[in-house]
Amino acid sequence: ENTTKIGKNYAGHWEPWRELIRSKDMASIDTIPHEVGHGIDSLTRKAGMLVPQDVKRDLVKLGRQLYGNKRPNGGYMGEGFAEYVRGRMTGADNLATECPSLDKWFNTTFAKRFPKYLERIDTLRDEVLRYRQQTDLQKVAAFMKPSTKKESK
């Protein structure tokens, strides 16, 4: 289930002028990667990367799947980019078949220009998958501050 949008409110948003992600729930496995996707989209625009028409079609398709006929403020392409990154970071296994041109462009053109970002995105994907395999108790413990010897006395 995609939790990026909640009714008229948003679970999170990207502030491009400050390069900042805001989220109501920092533990949200879907919201944070979506907002990271807006940051990556912003990075590619600032770098002047050209997006071919077939990639644009895939981006619009993903944006429309999220927003339907209500055009988002940042446009369907921006939301599509955010959804692609969210899917990649949360282990969606249908990206290559659902948006093949975008997936190929991301794994070649983007990867060549920003290899460290691609590596970080894929590392985070591995972390998300590990998190999802944990028990509920392990998930709660992951967000708790470890106690020190002084605190436990």
Side-chain angles (χ1 to χ4, degrees):
E1 177 181 329
N2 181 350
T3 58
T4 303
K5 283 178 41 175
I6 301 174
K8 290 184 180 181
N9 299 316
Y10 295 90
H13 68 272
W14 166 251
E15 295 179 0
W17 60 95
R18 293 171 44 182
E19 295 187 345
L20 177 76
I21 291 172
R22 293 211 178 262
S23 176
K24 289 181 183 178
D25 179 6
M26 289 308 294
S28 174
I29 296 296
D30 287 315
T31 301
I32 301 300
H34 176 95
E35 301 309 326
V36 167
H38 284 301
I40 298 293
D41 177 37
S42 201
L43 174 75
T44 60
R45 289 179 201 212
K46 286 179 183 176
M49 293 183 74
L50 298 176
V51 179
Q53 282 303 118
D54 57 338
V55 174
K56 287 179 182 180
R57 279 191 293 275
D58 283 349
L59 289 167
V60 168
K61 176 183 169 183
L62 289 174
R64 282 192 181 278
Q65 285 175 357
L66 181 62
Y67 274 86
N69 291 327
K70 183 180 184 251
R71 193 181 191 300
N73 291 337
Y76 289 114
M77 281 182 38
E79 290 301 326
F81 208 107
E83 279 298 280
Y84 175 82
V85 173
R86 180 194 61 78
R88 187 172 183 118
M89 288 176 71
T90 58
D93 55 3
N94 62 341
L95 295 174
T97 55
E98 190 171 329
C99 44
S101 297
L102 171 57
D103 194 58
K104 181 180 177 185
W105 178 86
F106 201 82
N107 287 306
T108 55
T109 306
F110 178 85
K112 185 176 180 180
R113 183 79 181 264
F114 299 107
K116 294 264 189 219
Y117 284 99
L118 182 65
E119 181 182 323
R120 288 176 186 155
I121 288 168
D122 290 343
T123 298
L124 286 169
R125 177 200 59 224
D126 296 342
E127 293 294 322
V128 166
L129 294 176
R130 270 194 291 281
Y131 175 81
R132 285 189 166 158
Q133 292 171 351
Q134 293 178 336
T135 65
D136 290 342
L137 187 57
Q138 289 171 321
K139 289 175 183 176
V140 169
F143 286 95
M144 295 175 68
K145 178 182 170 191
S147 66
T148 63
K149 289 185 180 184
K150 280 185 177 181
E151 291 174 342
S152 61
K153 288 184 180 179

